[in-house]
Amino acid sequence: MRTELIILGVDPGLTRCGVGVIEAGAYRRLSFIHVDVIRSSIDVSQDLRLLTIWEGLNAKMDEFVPDVVSIEQVFAQHNINTVLGTAQVAGLAMVAAAQRSIPVAVHTPSQVKLAVTGNGKADKLQVERMVARILNLNKLPDPPDAADALAQAITHALHPAGELQGGEREQHLTPAQRQWAEALKKQQQNKSRMHGRGM
Amino acid sequence: MRTELIILGVDPGLTRCGVGVIEAGAYRRLSFIHVDVIRSSIDVSQDLRLLTIWEGLNAKMDEFVPDVVSIEQVFAQHNINTVLGTAQVAGLAMVAAAQRSIPVAVHTPSQVKLAVTGNGKADKLQVERMVARILNLNKLPDPPDAADALAQAITHALHPAGELQGGEREQHLTPAQRQWAEALKKQQQNKSRMHGRGM
């Protein structure tokens, strides 16, 4: 019987999309497998940028055949200039996983910082250092941006609650996240009522 | 030589994604081909909802083999509760087109209203009526939501400037849109400078 779990973490981004792969074995022993950044040029159109990221994500999933894909949660409050592209890349990662029937987990940046460093407000270097320590790397993750993708995968290994994508997931949200989720649900219900005539 | 152009318009949405297909012939004669709404259930997880929309969009592109795909522009200022899902669906439509080497056009809601009705602030019913008139439909588009997808395709037939996805497109933006595009570009440049160390 196979007991290890291959977890592919994604730090979504249109210019740089981090991908980190770890193995979670018995007794929560975590091993490093792979880390990389999929890049798209800012000089080409949005559709071609997204296609590049899409192909990169699919190639990673084909290569590492993860048991679960864990993606950083995107919030609409984030940097308004980049949030749409980031959300689109997160969506592509979800579809690439769903097409392979791989469960999708979502963890927020503060959940990741808390899980990896014990401090929900840790800075980037603290996260990098703890990722290196947890995975027994003899230097900081390279490229540095990809540390977030490894941290995302580690978080899922330690706190897999994010895997529950439906209603149950809401039990694990912070008050602010729950408020957000409720507003979102309410909005969707209103919308489906408003548009119900064609259904 | 083929002179007609098959245009597939997309009104992106996670709960309801409108798809409208028209043919633009000689002398800008426009003909109705198809209209539909791809739906995803709000009761399943985000990854499965996106997969449903992805499969629907791919099926439409396989069926109608458009020469161009025209997608409503999503702005981060829009309804904060639904904008991320809407952006994700727009991203999926872009990738589905780009995978087939189909050019992608983007037109804003006000460009669509202006092109279809002559009034950038027209209401939904005015748009529906003009779509029916332009395409010689003997009743309003059904389902009504999908009128926006047909209107998007019509806009592209009449004002194809949105096809220019790169720098040239910016010449056709309103001052607010140009400001947005500039802020976005600046942000991306800053980001790529900040993260340049690993490149």
Side-chain angles (χ1 to χ4, degrees):
Chain A
M1 199 186 100
R2 220 183 113 207
T3 56
E4 77 279 13
L5 198 71
I6 305 292
I7 306 172
L8 188 148
V10 178
D11 180 29
L14 186 55
T15 304
R16 301 168 70 82
C17 177
V19 174
V21 186
I22 66 170
E23 181 182 297
Y27 309 109
R28 293 192 168 176
R29 186 181 42 78
L30 304 184
S31 320
F32 171 83
I33 295 181
H34 176 79
V35 70
D36 200 2
V37 169
I38 306 167
R39 294 174 173 85
S40 83
S41 163
I42 63 167
D43 297 326
V44 300
S45 56
Q46 181 86 353
D47 54 327
L48 298 182
R49 298 187 72 180
L50 290 170
L51 180 62
T52 300
I53 303 283
W54 166 254
E55 289 175 344
L57 287 167
N58 277 282
K60 295 296 182 194
M61 291 188 203
D62 283 343
E63 186 177 352
F64 297 102
V65 195
D67 297 292
V68 57
V69 171
S70 186
I71 305 169
E72 186 173 303
Q73 172 88 58
V74 183
F75 290 104
Q77 302 97 312
H78 281 185
N79 190 323
I80 199 168
N81 287 320
T82 55
V83 71
L84 296 188
T86 304
Q88 287 176 325
V89 170
L92 295 181
M94 286 183 189
V95 172
Q99 272 194 324
R100 293 167 173 79
S101 302
I102 302 172
V104 170
V106 176
H107 299 278
T108 67
S110 56
Q111 283 173 333
V112 169
K113 288 172 184 172
L114 186 64
V116 173
T117 70
N119 171 8
K121 295 180 173 179
D123 65 25
K124 214 168 169 61
L125 187 60
Q126 286 176 297
V127 172
E128 285 177 28
R129 283 183 179 150
M130 279 307 298
V131 165
R133 187 177 303 177
I134 291 167
L135 297 178
N136 290 312
L137 307 177
N138 46 28
K139 59 188 185 80
L140 294 186
D142 181 44
D145 307 73
D148 286 340
L150 286 171
Q152 178 69 224
I154 291 168
T155 302
H156 186 73
L158 302 176
H159 300 280
E163 190 169 3
L164 310 167
Q165 269 251 348
E168 287 170 80
R169 186 161 66 89
E170 286 165 28
Q171 295 167 15
H172 306 275
L173 299 178
T174 66
Q177 289 162 0
R178 190 172 300 117
Q179 212 170 10
W180 168 267
E182 278 163 11
L184 182 64
K185 192 183 277 179
K186 203 166 179 181
Q187 171 67 24
Q188 286 170 335
Q189 284 166 346
N190 285 341
K191 214 183 168 190
S192 83
R193 266 200 297 278
M194 269 168 53
H195 292 182
R197 49 184 175 155
M199 289 180 93
Chain B
M1 197 185 100
R2 221 184 113 205
T3 56
E4 77 278 12
L5 197 71
I6 305 292
I7 305 171
L8 187 148
V10 177
D11 180 29
L14 187 56
T15 305
R16 301 167 71 81
C17 177
V19 175
V21 187
I22 67 169
E23 182 182 297
Y27 310 110
R28 294 194 168 177
R29 186 183 40 79
L30 304 183
S31 318
F32 171 83
I33 294 181
H34 176 79
V35 71
D36 199 4
V37 170
I38 306 167
R39 294 176 174 83
S40 83
S41 164
I42 63 167
D43 297 325
V44 300
S45 56
Q46 182 85 353
D47 54 326
L48 298 181
R49 298 186 72 181
L50 290 170
L51 180 63
T52 301
I53 304 284
W54 167 253
E55 288 175 345
L57 287 168
N58 277 283
K60 295 297 181 193
M61 292 188 200
D62 283 343
E63 186 175 353
F64 297 103
V65 195
D67 298 293
V68 57
V69 171
S70 188
I71 306 169
E72 185 172 304
Q73 172 88 56
V74 182
F75 291 104
Q77 302 96 315
H78 282 182
N79 188 323
I80 199 168
N81 288 320
T82 55
V83 71
L84 296 189
T86 304
Q88 288 176 326
V89 169
L92 295 181
M94 287 184 187
V95 172
Q99 273 195 321
R100 292 167 174 80
S101 302
I102 303 171
V104 170
V106 175
H107 299 278
T108 67
S110 56
Q111 283 173 333
V112 170
K113 287 173 183 171
L114 186 64
V116 173
T117 70
N119 171 8
K121 295 181 174 180
D123 65 25
K124 211 166 172 65
L125 188 59
Q126 286 176 297
V127 172
E128 285 176 28
R129 282 182 178 149
M130 279 307 298
V131 165
R133 188 178 302 175
I134 291 168
L135 298 177
N136 290 311
L137 307 177
N138 47 28
K139 59 186 185 79
L140 294 186
D142 182 45
D145 306 71
D148 286 339
L150 286 171
Q152 179 68 225
I154 291 168
T155 302
H156 186 74
L158 302 176
H159 301 279
E163 191 171 357
L164 309 167
Q165 270 251 349
E168 286 172 79
R169 185 161 67 90
E170 285 164 27
Q171 295 166 15
H172 305 275
L173 299 178
T174 66
Q177 288 162 1
R178 189 169 305 115
Q179 213 170 10
W180 167 265
E182 278 162 11
L184 184 62
K185 191 183 279 179
K186 205 166 178 179
Q187 171 67 25
Q188 286 169 336
Q189 284 165 346
N190 286 342
K191 213 182 168 190
S192 83
R193 266 199 296 278
M194 268 167 54
H195 291 184
R197 50 183 173 155
M199 288 177 96

